[in-house]
Amino acid sequence: EMCIRVSYREEMASIANQKGGTAVDVLDLCSSWISHLPADVKVGRVVGIGMNQEELAANKALTEYYVQDLNKDPILSRLEDESFDVVLEKGTLDAVLLSGGGIEQANKQRGVEYMNMAISELSRVIKTDGFFISISAVCTSNLLESPNWNSGQWEMIRDGSLHITDDGYASNNFDGTLLVWRKKKGAS
């Protein structure tokens, strides 16, 4: 938990500075009873999407939440275009990829398809100059190869060379990889 907050802090602080100290609107994917938000960054709207109603209801950081299994339905139809400054993803896309679309017999190709659908939806809801922050333990190469990032709409901020360990230190002996993209001006 601490290592995730430290990892997000730099990117969250950067966007808060770009917004001149105004609140940062956040989409927290695979949210539960806690959101990994730095205490020193002013947040506004914080939307959680997760699979457990009770945990989401207990999360005091959320201003609203939706129960949705992104493994089966990666379309974020409740969310408007360009409505978030930051999307935080902590293994959600790993789960989507591995679930193969949430069907009984997971299919790798369907998993890649659903992961790309989810990334496309996340791209849609991120504001221009907004950040997509991902910590991946499984699908780092699949994330990097997604056609969404190679569309010219995104600038890579963290390329996966920073690895996060259980103790919160950056290392080559990792439990997760930090990837960050910024949506460029003129991208839609």
Side-chain angles (χ1 to χ4, degrees):
E1 179 181 319
M2 180 54 113
C3 63
I4 291 173
R5 286 188 187 150
V6 170
S7 303
Y8 289 167
R9 199 228 168 285
E10 183 178 330
E11 283 73 21
M12 295 276 293
S14 173
I15 202 161
N17 287 337
Q18 288 177 27
K19 291 189 68 162
T22 61
V24 175
D25 295 327
V26 178
L27 174 59
D28 183 11
L29 289 182
C30 210
S31 191
S32 64
W33 64 276
I34 189 169
S35 291
H36 302 283
L37 303 174
D40 58 340
V41 173
K42 183 178 177 182
V43 294
R45 181 180 181 210
V46 180
V47 177
I49 296 180
M51 293 174 46
N52 185 303
Q53 169 79 29
E54 292 78 25
E55 288 180 359
L56 292 166
N59 187 333
K60 296 185 185 333
L62 301 178
T63 58
E64 59 191 277
Y65 64 85
Y66 303 102
V67 176
Q68 182 174 341
D69 184 349
L70 295 172
N71 298 315
K72 294 179 181 176
D73 180 15
I75 305 302
L76 302 172
S77 58
R78 296 178 179 125
L79 303 177
E80 295 178 12
D81 294 355
E82 298 207 13
S83 51
F84 297 97
D85 300 300
V86 177
V87 171
L88 305 177
E89 184 277 310
K90 309 160 298 291
T92 306
L93 296 176
D94 290 345
V96 170
L97 175 75
L98 294 174
S99 75
I103 57 175
E104 298 230 355
Q105 293 183 336
N107 174 298
K108 183 177 180 180
Q109 183 57 39
R110 182 170 284 154
V112 170
E113 177 185 323
Y114 272 56
M115 183 193 72
N116 285 329
M117 286 170 50
I119 293 171
S120 181
E121 279 294 284
L122 299 174
S123 299
R124 180 183 65 76
V125 302
I126 296 174
K127 295 177 185 177
T128 298
D129 277 337
F131 288 90
F132 175 78
I133 304 172
S134 173
I135 293 185
S136 172
V138 177
C139 69
T140 303
S141 62
N142 296 90
L143 281 168
L144 292 170
E145 294 167 4
S146 174
N148 294 285
W149 309 128
N150 300 316
S151 66
Q153 297 180 355
W154 295 91
E155 172 189 9
M156 180 165 265
I157 305 297
R158 299 248 188 232
D159 64 2
S161 59
L162 177 63
H163 306 293
I164 310 302
T165 63
D166 255 348
D167 58 11
Y169 293 100
S171 166
N172 288 327
N173 180 14
F174 67 96
D175 297 311
T177 301
L178 179 66
L179 300 163
V180 180
W181 288 269
R182 184 186 61 80
K183 190 173 185 180
K184 294 179 181 179
K185 289 186 191 306
S188 57

